[in-house]
Amino acid sequence: MRTFGLPEFLFILEAVRWTLALSLIAFAGGAIGGLAVALARTSNNAAARRVATVFVQVFQGTPLLLQLFLVFFGAPVLGWDINPWVAAGVALVLNTSAFLGEIWRGCIQAIPRGQWEAADALGLHYVDRMRDVVLPQAFKIALPPTVGYMVQVIKGTSLAAIIGFTEVTRAGQIINNATFQPLIVFGVVAAIYFALCWPLSLLAGWMERRQAAALAR
């Protein structure tokens, strides 16, 4: 057993890169999936709406921890060799897709019906209408809640520690097992998460206030 010191702190700090890498993977993949979900949920195709609705209900209605377990332990049952990196990435991408899809669906549906009707009056097809009229306006509405949701993505990566992925939380567990100083170790872990998430929370709040001021003018 050893005392918590600078080498132990640096070990935890080095794990930040894996937390950020996993967060970026989850957000990038979730953005692609979320856009697909949002478009499916707002489309005129009933089958696409039903499939997207079921997807959202499943991933919003079950814990992220359970989704990690199902991917990590379920894949070998199906004959797929999977490591913690891939399992964590897949589970977080799917989970993020469901939540971003719902956030963006609400933003798309927040566009006044007059904009949709004007696009129809111009004879724009679905792709042109979404690309040129609806999505640019929805993007402005979606930016603050999207940035805010990035905080949840970063915090959600901590659950990947349960399947052996060495990010900040898992690094803290390793150091705690060596030092038996949980208050100090997990205090440092909490401080690191706060340092990562607080600026994003401030940015999301600033964006919301700026948007509200622009709408008030």
Side-chain angles (χ1 to χ4, degrees):
M1 188 173 68
R2 63 180 187 265
T3 303
F4 185 86
L6 183 59
E8 288 74 24
F9 172 75
L10 292 177
F11 179 80
I12 297 174
L13 192 62
E14 287 177 359
V16 170
R17 57 182 174 175
W18 305 121
T19 291
L20 293 176
L22 185 58
S23 299
L24 289 174
I25 290 171
F27 190 78
I32 296 171
L35 181 60
V37 169
L39 292 176
R41 291 271 281 147
T42 56
S43 73
N44 295 324
N45 189 301
R49 289 199 307 272
R50 281 196 294 269
V51 171
T53 299
V54 170
F55 175 83
V56 169
Q57 290 174 344
V58 167
F59 283 94
Q60 286 194 348
T62 56
L64 175 56
L65 182 60
L66 179 61
Q67 295 164 22
L68 284 163
F69 281 152
L70 288 174
V71 174
F72 185 65
F73 295 111
V77 174
L78 299 175
W80 299 333
D81 185 19
I82 195 168
N83 59 48
W85 249 114
V86 176
V90 169
L92 283 165
V93 164
L94 292 174
N95 185 269
T96 303
S97 296
F99 281 91
L100 284 181
E102 276 298 275
I103 291 171
W104 293 347
R105 174 196 62 80
C107 295
I108 290 173
Q109 292 181 335
I111 303 303
R113 294 308 304 175
Q115 298 291 317
W116 298 76
E117 293 167 359
D120 288 336
L122 291 172
L124 296 178
H125 296 293
Y126 175 80
V127 174
D128 295 328
R129 180 173 70 238
M130 297 302 291
R131 183 189 64 204
D132 298 331
V133 178
V134 176
L135 290 183
Q137 298 180 73
F139 175 78
K140 295 179 181 179
I141 300 173
L143 201 52
T146 300
V147 173
Y149 185 71
M150 288 176 67
V151 173
Q152 302 303 318
V153 175
I154 292 173
K155 291 191 292 186
T157 60
S158 64
L159 294 175
I162 203 71
I163 60 172
F165 182 80
T166 307
E167 40 65 68
V168 174
T169 300
R170 179 60 180 161
Q173 291 174 343
I174 293 170
I175 295 300
N176 181 61
N177 292 338
T179 62
F180 292 97
Q181 294 178 287
L183 185 60
I184 296 175
V185 172
F186 291 112
V188 169
V189 169
I192 290 173
Y193 277 113
F194 180 78
L196 293 174
C197 296
W198 188 51
L200 289 175
S201 298
L202 291 178
L203 178 60
W206 175 78
M207 286 180 171
E208 288 177 0
R209 291 191 298 271
R210 184 182 179 188
Q211 188 177 86
L215 291 174
R217 288 199 295 266

